[in-house]
Amino acid sequence: MARIHTLSVTLQSIRPVLLLMSSRRMDCFMLCTKCLEQYTELAQFKKIYVLSTGCSSEHSVLIQSFQKRHDNVVVIEGNSFGGGNPLPAMLNIIMRRHAADPIVKLYEDVFVTPDWLPRLLSTYRNTRSNPRRAIVSALAPISRTGRPFMERLLRAHYPEERELFPDIPFLHNSIAHRFLWEKILHEQLTQKLLEQRNSEYILRPSLSTECVLFDAAFTRQLLPFPMERDDAPRPDEPHIVETLSRLSLQAAVNPHCLVHHFAHQSVEKELRKNISLDDLWWFMLFGKGGINPELHFHTLKAAPHPSKRHSSYKKPKLHLIR
């Protein structure tokens, strides 16, 4: 009688589609793509779609340059979709085309850190068999998803400053944003956040969608994105949150998969006056976004596409280091 072998799904065998949404923040797009190239094996993505909406001609040149550097990048221009915000229509078309693929969604003002993709894929692999786990999310410290993690950290490390912001209104308080970014850039706040005792993932009934991953099961529930929200800056996020709530589904947030969200719309103007973008570039590219590679759950970088592997290539293994 033949023996049945159970084959485990490797992180390298999961080939998601990346949706990178770009609009008016040219400097953010430059840093976002630079971080992607520095900290990601982009060949692991089946396709990378840059959804360009309202970009200037100079911004479009940068997008085209990114496309030329990578064979799997496709640029979708929003001006061919008529007036208003074309993002819902663009998402509907692309997600129907890739209805069977895992999808990673990322905004241009979100900057990834080392090993973000293997960590996101690891949580996806470990939760994909549970029908209640609809979506996997990275952790952006300054976001609605990051708020409970930051509350605990601020009480532990900055109790006096914490009292100045009794509700920590991340989305609308420019002073709180400035305070947190100064701690992130200059006082290793990111590392303090990672040193909190957290499990591999934490379940949440709702989330903000700076960097998320979902597969065909949730894609079927999401489509179509409603067109009546075409004037909202991010019309996809409320639809995702409402779908989670309507179906009583959960999001798995990986607190060790860090990304940084910079340009919150309501505070962006004041934040740019007080936080040096030169410091931000240095922190993300040379400070690795505050990630200390000697600590925490670690995975090797995702393997290159099979067509680019050398004959002596050996499959990397997951391991833990301290």
Side-chain angles (χ1 to χ4, degrees):
M1 183 175 178
R3 179 179 298 178
I4 297 176
H5 295 274
T6 301
L7 299 178
S8 61
V9 177
T10 65
L11 299 187
Q12 290 72 35
S13 69
I14 305 173
R15 299 200 63 210
V17 171
L18 176 62
L19 305 183
L20 175 56
M21 285 161 285
S22 185
S23 55
R24 60 181 179 82
R25 299 179 175 100
M26 184 168 64
D27 53 357
C28 287
F29 177 81
M30 292 172 63
L31 182 54
C32 176
T33 52
K34 188 68 175 176
C35 290
L36 281 170
E37 290 174 326
Q38 182 159 315
Y39 301 132
T40 318
E41 180 53 68
L42 292 180
Q44 184 167 4
F45 287 110
K46 185 175 182 178
K47 286 287 184 183
I48 299 173
Y49 290 93
V50 180
L51 280 59
S52 171
T53 58
C55 293
S56 66
S57 56
E58 294 87 353
H59 194 154
S60 295
V61 170
L62 293 173
I63 294 174
Q64 292 166 13
S65 177
F66 178 65
Q67 181 182 29
K68 290 178 181 178
R69 295 197 298 272
H70 305 284
D71 296 336
N72 56 344
V73 173
V74 178
V75 178
I76 308 294
E77 296 284 352
N79 54 19
S80 60
F81 288 79
N85 188 340
L87 185 58
M90 298 164 81
L91 290 172
N92 287 336
I93 291 173
I94 296 171
M95 289 173 62
R96 285 192 181 104
R97 182 180 300 172
H98 292 280
D101 296 313
I103 292 175
V104 175
K105 196 168 67 66
L106 186 72
Y107 296 108
E108 68 183 349
D109 59 342
V110 176
F111 314 130
V112 301
T113 63
D115 290 328
W116 74 279
L117 183 59
R119 295 179 186 188
L120 198 68
L121 293 177
S122 176
T123 301
Y124 167 66
R125 181 184 61 181
N126 294 339
T127 60
R128 63 188 300 194
S129 61
N130 190 326
R132 294 284 309 284
R133 315 286 188 261
I135 191 167
V136 175
S137 174
L139 177 62
I142 305 178
S143 69
R144 284 187 287 109
T145 300
R147 175 173 172 172
F149 298 89
M150 295 295 282
E151 286 272 11
R152 183 153 44 111
L153 182 146
L154 292 175
R155 292 186 186 281
H157 294 278
Y158 304 98
E160 294 182 3
E161 293 93 332
R162 168 64 183 79
E163 295 304 318
L164 299 177
F165 309 110
D167 297 319
I168 309 296
F170 283 137
L171 298 184
H172 305 293
N173 188 324
S174 61
I175 297 176
H177 277 256
R178 177 182 176 183
F179 168 79
L180 291 171
W181 268 111
E182 287 176 347
K183 299 301 182 184
I184 288 172
L185 293 175
H186 306 299
E187 296 188 25
Q188 298 182 328
L189 187 66
T190 301
Q191 193 58 41
K192 291 181 175 71
L193 180 63
L194 287 172
E195 288 169 358
Q196 293 184 140
R197 293 190 177 185
N198 290 310
S199 56
E200 179 199 348
Y201 60 88
I202 295 172
L203 300 177
R204 297 286 302 275
S206 182
L207 79 167
S208 50
T209 59
E210 290 81 13
C211 176
V212 295
L213 181 154
F214 49 85
D215 63 10
F218 195 51
T219 296
R220 288 193 296 268
Q221 302 292 344
L222 279 176
L223 293 177
F225 282 85
M227 298 302 298
E228 59 267 22
R229 281 188 171 141
D230 62 359
D231 60 339
R234 289 185 173 177
D236 52 313
E237 181 168 298
H239 181 60
I240 291 174
V241 172
E242 288 171 7
T243 303
L244 283 173
S245 176
R246 174 171 54 85
L247 300 174
S248 298
L249 299 174
Q250 295 175 315
V253 180
N254 184 333
H256 306 290
C257 176
L258 264 289
V259 299
H260 291 283
H261 181 199
F262 178 71
H264 291 257
Q265 186 176 29
S266 61
V267 300
E268 180 179 3
K269 184 177 180 180
E270 288 300 316
L271 187 63
R272 286 176 178 269
K273 291 179 182 178
N274 295 288
I275 297 299
S276 166
L277 288 184
D278 288 340
D279 288 349
L280 183 59
W281 272 75
W282 183 271
F283 173 76
M284 290 306 309
L285 299 180
F286 299 100
K288 300 182 183 298
I291 303 295
N292 181 349
E294 298 301 321
L295 296 173
H296 308 294
F297 179 74
H298 178 72
T299 55
L300 293 178
K301 286 189 176 181
H305 187 271
S307 64
K308 298 185 178 182
R309 292 175 181 169
H310 189 270
S311 58
S312 62
Y313 169 81
K314 293 184 179 180
K315 186 184 296 183
K317 297 180 179 179
L318 291 174
H319 64 283
L320 292 172
I321 61 176
R322 298 185 63 179

